[in-house]
Amino acid sequence: MALRVTPSMMHMQLTRNLTRNLTQMQELQNQVTTGRKINKASDDPVGITYSLRYRTELASNEQYQKNVDSALSWLDFNDTVLDQAGQVLHRVKDLVVQGSNGTNPQVALDSIRDEISQLKNQLLDISNSKVNGKYVFNGQTFDKMPYDPNTPNFDPKTVVTDTGEISYAVGVGVTLPINLTGNQVFGAVGETDNVFAVLDNIMAGLTAGSQGAVSAQIGNIESRMDKILNARSEVGARVNRVELMQNRLQDLELNLTDMKSKTEDADFEKLLIESKVNESIYQASLSVGAKVISPTLVDFLR
Amino acid sequence: MRSTFHTLETTKRSLFTQQAAINTVGHNIANANTEGYSRQRVTMVASRPIEAFGMNRSTAPGQLGTGVEFTAISRIRTAFLDDQFRNQAKYVGNWSVQTDTLSKLEAIVNEPSDSGIRTVMDKFYQAWSDLSKDPENVTGRKIVRETAVALTDSFNQISKQLTDLNADLTTNIEVKATQANTMLNTIASLNAEIRKIEALGDHANDLRDQRDLLTDQLSQIVNVQVVEQADGYSISMGGTNLVEGDVVTELSSASLTAAFQSGDLNNGEVYGMFVARDVYVADYRRQLDTMANTLANGDIQITLPAGSVKPGTTTPITAPETITVKGINGLHKLGYTLEEPATTGLDFFTFKAGENGITAASIQLNPIISADTNKIASSMRTTTANGVTSVVKGNNTLALIMSELKDTPFKFDQTATGNGITEATIGNFYNSMVGSLGVQSQEAYRQYQNSVAQTELVDSNRQSVSGVSLDEEMSDLIKYQHAYSAAARVMTTFDQMLEKLINGTGVVGR
C-alpha cells in the first residue's frame, strides 16, 4: 500500500529522533562528566561485578599496605633495640676482658663492676623498650612491663616473658609474626647464657676478685652476642619478607587500578569524538526538521 | 416529464453538497493536531435520475440527472491497526513501569559509588584490621563501632527505601485503578451515545474517535481485548469483563490483585507495577535480608591458631583447629572482651526491638556494645592466675579473623534467596546481586525500547491511514471550491435563461 505521509507523522518522527539524539547526548555527557562508562548497574552488568570486586580488592590492598608499614616500623624498632643491646654486650665483653686481666687492683675491679651494673640497668631499659606504648619484648602481653623492677623480689634472670606471637595481616591469608620475646633475646630462665645471669655472675666474680669466675663468662657473653646477632638477622629476614610483600602489594595496586580503570573508566578521546558526532547529527536533524516542518501547500496558495 | 425549475434544483443540491465537503475539509484542518482524530470524508453520490421506470414514464429519451447528494460523512480508520496498536501499547506500559522501577532500584543500591554498601563493608573490615594492630586500644574499638553502625545504617536505609518504593507502587496501583475506572465509565457512556446516534443511520465519527482514543489509553494501563458489538465496545481483561454496552465493572486494587494472581491481568502498566513490587522489590529485599542475616549468623569455617583459649576452657589449644561458627555473631562470642575477669563477647549484631530475627531493616549493632566499646572482643587468649582468668589484651587473633572474613565464604540459605548461591563471600553475594539487577534493568530497558519502536510503527501506519494531511485538504478545498463556483455559474446561467424566458418572451408588438 502506498503510504500516505501526513505532517503529524513527520512531526512525530522528528520529535522521536530529536529525543533519541538528546538521550544519547545526555548519556555521553554523563560519561564525560563522571569520567566513567559504568555509572549504574545496567550500563554493564558484567563489568560492574568486576568493578565492584576491584574496588573491594583495592580497599583491602590499601589496608594491607597500611599493615605492612606498621609491621616495618615495629621491625625497624626491634632492629634498633637489638643493635643497642649488642653494643652494650660489646662493652660488657671489653670490660670482662679487662677485668679478667690479672693485674687489676680490687679498686679497678670494683669500678668495672659498677660500670657493669650500670650496663645491666641499661639492658633492663632496653628489655623494657616500647613502641607505640607497647612493650616489644613481652609477646602478646605487651600492655605489661616484662622486666618490671617494681615486682616484689625482682630478679630479671627469673623473668618469663609471654610467648604469644604478634601477627599482622599483610596479604590475603598471610599473617606475619613480627615480635621477638625477651627470653629469645636476653635468654630464658636457667639458660647459662641468660644475659642477666651472666652479668650477675660477672659482678659477683668482680666483687669477689675472682678473675677465673669472670673470664669463665666470656664464652657465655659471646654465645649471647651470637644469639642477639641471630635475632637481628631474623628481624632482617622478616624485614626483607615484608618489603617483598610491600612491593607485591604495590604492584597489585597498580594492576588493580589499571583493571578497574579499564573496566569502568570512560575513553575520553572516543567519547569526545562521539559527542561531537552526536552534536552534529543533532544540529542536522534540527535544521532538517525546521525545513521539513514548515511548508505545506498553504504556503504556496495565493 | 421534467419541471421548469429542475436545473435550479440540481445546482442547489450541488451547492449544498460541495459546501458540506468544504465544511468537512474545514473540520479536518481544524482537527489536524487533535489527538486520536481520524480524517473524515464526504461520500458523494449522483442522486436518483428521472425518469423512474414504470408504465407511465414519459417517452423522452435518456435518464435525466438530478445532480448530487452526499450519503454519509465517514471517518477513515482501520480497525485492524487499532487492534495492533492496543496489543503493542500494553507492552509499552508494562516495560516502562518495570524499567522505571529497576532504575530506581539501581539508584537505591547506588553502585558503583563511594557510599554504597560495598564501601561501608570494606571500611568495616579495615577497621577490624586496624584493631588487630592495636588490640588493647580503645580508639580502634571506637572505629570498629562506627564502621559497624555505618554498615547497619546502610542496610536499614536501603531497606527503608525499598519499603518506600513498595508503598509507592501500591499507591500507584490504586491511582491507576481510578484512572482506568474513569476511562471505562466514559467509554460506557460513549457506547450508549454512539448507539443512539447510529440508530438513526448517521456515523458518530467524533464520538467514535474519542472512544478509540480512550481505549488506546486504557490498553496501556491494562491488557484489554476490544470487541465491537451492536451495543458498542465490549472490553475485557483476560476473563474479566470491564465494559459491556453501558455496564461497567469497576476495577479496584483488590480486584486487580486477584486478576494478577489468576493471570487475567498479564500486561500493561498495572501488571508492570505488580511485577516490580512483588518480584523485583520483594526479591531484592529478600536478598538484602539474607545478606544481613548471613553476615551476622551464617555458617563460616574459621581456623583457630594454636595458643587460643576456647570459651569455657582455660588451657590453650596446642594445634590449629578448624571449626564452624555462626557468622560474625558466633565468631564474636568465641573471643574475649577487654573486661576483667575474662568475659566472652556478646552477639555483635542484634535486631531492633519488636522485630523477630535479623533483616536488613532490623539489623543493628548490639546496643550494649554500642554503649561500651570495651565489650568488643578481639582476643582469643586468657591467662589464669590465682583462680582468676584474665584476658590477654594483646592477642589479636579474633580481630585478624574478623578482618579476614572479607575473603571467607559464608553459607547462604538458598531457599530464601533462590538465586542459586549457597556459599560465597558476602562481597561476592552482593556483587552478583548488583550484577543481576544490572542485567534485569538492561533487559527491561531493551524490551521497553522495542515495544516503543513497535508501537510507533503501528501508530505511524495508523496516522498514514487516518491522519490529516494539510496538503491533501488544501487540494480538496480547491477542488470543492471550484465545484461550488461552477455550480453557482450553472445556476446563474439558468437564471439568465429563465430571465429570457420570463421577461424576454411574449413581448411581440411592444
Side-chain angles (χ1 to χ4, degrees):
Chain A
M1 112 184 176
L3 211 62
R4 268 175 88 254
V5 177
T6 66
S8 71
M9 279 162 73
M10 313 259 297
H11 275 280
M12 257 168 43
Q13 198 173 39
L14 180 74
T15 325
R16 221 162 38 220
N17 291 336
L18 288 181
T19 312
R20 192 172 301 132
N21 287 336
L22 265 181
T23 313
Q24 228 156 9
M25 270 169 92
Q26 185 199 21
E27 179 56 34
L28 289 170
Q29 197 70 266
N30 191 21
Q31 288 185 18
V32 170
T33 46
T34 59
R36 295 202 307 250
K37 64 181 176 219
I38 302 181
N39 292 302
K40 53 185 197 300
S42 55
D43 287 343
D44 181 356
V46 176
I48 194 165
T49 55
Y50 282 107
S51 130
L52 290 179
R53 210 183 68 219
Y54 295 147
R55 283 161 176 253
T56 298
E57 281 179 8
L58 275 170
S60 72
N61 180 291
E62 179 196 353
Q63 183 62 35
Y64 287 135
Q65 293 204 36
K66 265 164 61 181
N67 294 357
V68 160
D69 289 343
S70 311
L72 277 177
S73 78
W74 181 294
L75 288 167
D76 287 346
F77 182 79
N78 263 352
D79 186 64
T80 313
V81 171
L82 291 174
D83 183 32
Q84 287 169 355
Q87 281 170 0
V88 169
L89 286 186
H90 264 293
R91 180 66 192 149
V92 168
K93 190 180 159 189
D94 289 350
L95 289 171
V96 169
V97 170
Q98 219 178 334
S100 52
N101 191 335
T103 58
N104 288 322
Q106 187 59 36
V107 179
L109 292 184
D110 284 350
S111 69
I112 290 176
R113 189 202 61 202
D114 288 347
E115 189 173 348
I116 288 199
S117 160
Q118 286 306 315
L119 290 171
K120 181 186 170 188
N121 284 339
Q122 208 180 328
L123 268 184
L124 272 179
D125 283 348
I126 290 172
S127 68
N128 285 330
S129 306
K130 287 163 93 174
V131 63
N132 302 335
K134 300 182 177 66
Y135 293 99
V136 291
F137 291 123
N138 207 8
Q140 293 181 347
T141 53
F142 50 61
D143 48 333
K144 301 190 182 69
M145 209 183 224
Y147 297 88
D148 187 356
N150 299 326
T151 47
N153 312 324
F154 171 68
D155 185 356
K157 59 178 173 287
T158 61
V159 166
V160 179
T161 52
D162 184 67
T163 52
E165 279 183 347
I166 295 173
S167 304
Y168 279 11
V170 290
V172 179
V174 183
T175 52
L176 194 74
I178 52 161
N179 66 317
L180 294 166
T181 64
N183 290 154
Q184 280 173 313
V185 178
F186 303 107
V189 181
E191 261 187 307
T192 48
D193 59 356
N194 177 316
V195 75
F196 298 110
V198 171
L199 289 181
D200 285 351
N201 292 339
I202 292 170
M203 286 194 288
L206 288 170
T207 313
S210 150
Q211 291 156 359
V214 175
S215 61
Q217 296 296 335
I218 289 181
N220 286 337
I221 290 180
E222 281 174 344
S223 94
R224 178 48 52 190
M225 278 166 79
D226 281 351
K227 284 180 181 167
I228 291 185
L229 213 56
N230 281 345
R232 270 191 83 182
S233 56
E234 165 79 13
V235 168
R238 285 182 194 172
V239 167
N240 284 347
R241 189 175 158 198
V242 173
E243 279 175 346
L244 196 70
M245 214 59 223
Q246 194 174 30
N247 291 340
R248 201 180 297 162
L249 287 169
Q250 281 162 354
D251 289 352
L252 187 63
E253 182 184 14
L254 210 63
N255 283 344
L256 284 171
T257 313
D258 191 41
M259 291 195 287
K260 169 172 170 279
S261 129
K262 276 195 181 120
T263 311
E264 59 175 51
D265 285 8
D267 175 350
F268 267 106
E269 291 81 354
K270 198 165 137 235
L271 264 188
L272 290 176
I273 292 170
E274 272 181 16
S275 60
K276 258 278 158 279
V277 167
N278 211 290
E279 215 171 307
S280 54
I281 290 178
Y282 183 64
Q283 299 276 11
S285 53
L286 279 179
S287 69
V288 168
K291 286 192 182 72
V292 158
I293 285 304
S294 68
T296 59
L297 201 48
V298 180
D299 300 300
F300 300 97
L301 291 171
R302 289 270 157 72
Chain B
M1 180 65 206
R2 47 172 302 233
S3 78
T4 310
F5 299 121
H6 178 95
T7 310
L8 270 183
E9 201 56 39
T10 305
T11 46
K12 186 185 76 178
R13 277 188 187 159
S14 170
L15 287 177
F16 283 176
T17 306
Q18 305 308 331
Q19 222 166 24
I22 285 174
N23 185 57
T24 305
V25 166
H27 185 51
N28 283 342
I29 290 174
N31 284 298
N33 293 323
T34 305
E35 203 188 349
Y37 179 80
S38 14
R39 64 194 168 109
Q40 295 174 11
R41 196 173 42 190
V42 176
T43 315
M44 298 184 195
V45 177
S47 52
R48 243 175 95 171
I50 50 175
E51 313 258 340
F53 67 92
M55 293 297 287
N56 56 353
R57 65 186 284 272
S58 80
T59 52
Q63 288 265 300
L64 188 64
T66 58
V68 67
E69 57 189 1
F70 60 97
T71 53
I73 302 180
S74 51
R75 54 180 202 149
I76 299 180
R77 199 176 174 107
T78 318
F80 166 70
L81 287 175
D82 282 340
D83 283 348
Q84 266 198 326
F85 180 85
R86 284 161 200 161
N87 269 329
Q88 284 301 334
K90 62 185 183 187
Y91 288 107
V92 176
N94 175 14
W95 290 114
S96 73
V97 169
Q98 289 198 24
T99 304
D100 186 49
T101 309
L102 284 163
S103 60
K104 279 182 184 145
L105 280 171
E106 283 183 302
I108 289 173
V109 168
N110 189 20
E111 295 285 1
S113 75
D114 295 330
S115 52
I117 279 200
R118 188 198 56 79
T119 311
V120 288
M121 201 89 185
D122 291 345
K123 291 216 165 84
F124 176 69
Y125 292 131
Q126 285 180 325
W128 277 106
S129 191
D130 277 334
L131 181 63
S132 77
K133 290 183 292 184
D134 291 312
E136 84 291 7
N137 191 324
V138 179
T139 321
R141 274 156 217 280
K142 288 213 159 66
I143 294 171
V144 167
R145 176 182 66 188
E146 294 319 312
T147 53
V149 169
L151 179 61
T152 54
D153 280 354
S154 298
F155 270 119
N156 299 165
Q157 192 203 348
I158 290 191
S159 182
K160 179 169 184 326
Q161 283 175 301
L162 289 180
T163 308
D164 291 349
L165 187 53
N166 196 6
D168 285 351
L169 286 165
T170 306
T171 315
N172 278 348
I173 288 172
E174 279 172 20
V175 170
K176 282 287 164 194
T178 318
Q179 214 180 350
N181 286 339
T182 316
M183 289 175 185
L184 292 172
N185 284 317
T186 319
I187 289 174
S189 57
L190 281 169
N191 274 347
E193 225 175 321
I194 290 167
R195 198 168 126 230
K196 279 178 203 146
I197 289 167
E198 298 196 344
L200 305 174
D202 285 340
H203 292 300
N205 296 327
D206 298 321
L207 294 179
R208 276 178 172 271
D209 280 346
Q210 280 178 34
R211 186 173 65 177
D212 279 329
L213 179 63
L214 281 168
T215 313
D216 286 351
Q217 288 168 343
L218 180 69
S219 71
Q220 202 164 347
I221 298 177
V222 291
N223 51 298
V224 289
Q225 288 87 2
V226 185
V227 183
E228 184 163 10
Q229 289 170 334
D231 55 357
Y233 279 179
S234 67
I235 297 178
S236 55
M237 174 179 81
T240 318
N241 250 335
L242 300 180
V243 177
E244 188 75 58
D246 56 358
V247 182
V248 178
T249 315
E250 290 216 335
L251 292 168
S252 66
S253 53
S255 72
L256 282 168
T257 309
F260 174 70
Q261 279 158 351
S262 71
D264 277 351
L265 172 63
N266 55 30
N267 225 323
E269 280 174 6
V270 179
Y271 174 79
M273 283 168 195
F274 275 112
V275 170
R277 189 186 69 180
D278 300 346
V279 178
Y280 295 135
V281 177
D283 180 47
Y284 285 109
R285 176 191 297 290
R286 250 198 314 275
Q287 294 203 36
L288 275 168
D289 287 348
T290 308
M291 185 171 147
N293 191 31
T294 307
L295 181 69
N297 301 317
D299 281 355
I300 41 173
Q301 275 208 332
I302 51 154
T303 303
L304 302 179
S308 306
V309 180
K310 292 210 251 175
T313 63
T314 49
T315 40
I317 54 176
T318 49
E321 205 176 306
T322 303
I323 55 169
T324 302
V325 292
K326 295 223 165 291
I328 287 186
N329 283 353
L331 183 55
H332 196 248
K333 286 184 195 160
L334 280 185
Y336 303 96
T337 65
L338 279 189
E339 298 159 291
E340 288 292 338
T343 317
T344 48
L346 304 156
D347 273 338
F348 193 78
F349 291 119
T350 55
F351 46 88
K352 291 175 180 157
E355 306 271 355
N356 47 359
I358 291 184
T359 60
S362 71
I363 192 172
Q364 61 170 10
L365 174 64
N366 190 335
I368 302 170
I369 293 177
S370 187
D372 178 7
T373 51
N374 282 344
K375 293 194 186 286
I376 292 176
S378 61
S379 165
M380 293 203 60
R381 191 175 152 213
T382 56
T383 53
T384 310
N386 316 326
V388 179
T389 309
S390 54
V391 63
V392 177
K393 293 178 184 171
N395 179 289
N396 63 357
T397 305
L398 188 75
L400 275 182
I401 295 178
M402 281 279 187
S403 71
E404 292 297 309
L405 285 184
K406 64 181 166 56
D407 302 310
T408 308
F410 283 69
K411 273 218 171 14
F412 281 86
D413 177 7
Q414 206 211 308
T415 49
T417 59
N419 60 359
I421 295 179
T422 52
E423 196 164 10
T425 65
I426 297 282
N428 282 349
F429 180 86
Y430 179 71
N431 290 358
S432 81
M433 185 183 102
V434 175
S436 73
L437 173 60
V439 172
Q440 284 168 338
S441 178
Q442 207 183 31
E443 172 65 10
Y445 186 59
R446 210 189 356 250
Q447 294 273 22
Y448 168 68
Q449 282 185 310
N450 287 350
S451 56
V452 166
Q454 295 276 4
T455 315
E456 278 168 350
L457 180 71
V458 177
D459 200 30
S460 205
N461 286 342
R462 257 194 341 182
Q463 286 289 330
S464 155
V465 174
S466 310
V468 177
S469 157
L470 289 180
D471 299 351
E472 201 176 82
E473 298 303 329
M474 290 314 288
S475 61
D476 279 355
L477 181 62
I478 292 162
K479 188 168 79 180
Y480 296 135
Q481 191 187 355
H482 281 308
Y484 183 89
S485 309
R489 170 58 57 91
V490 172
M491 196 174 254
T492 318
T493 309
F494 194 65
D495 178 39
Q496 279 179 8
M497 283 161 63
L498 286 178
E499 167 78 18
K500 189 78 194 156
L501 184 66
I502 294 163
N503 293 330
T505 54
V507 289
V508 176
R510 263 190 200 168

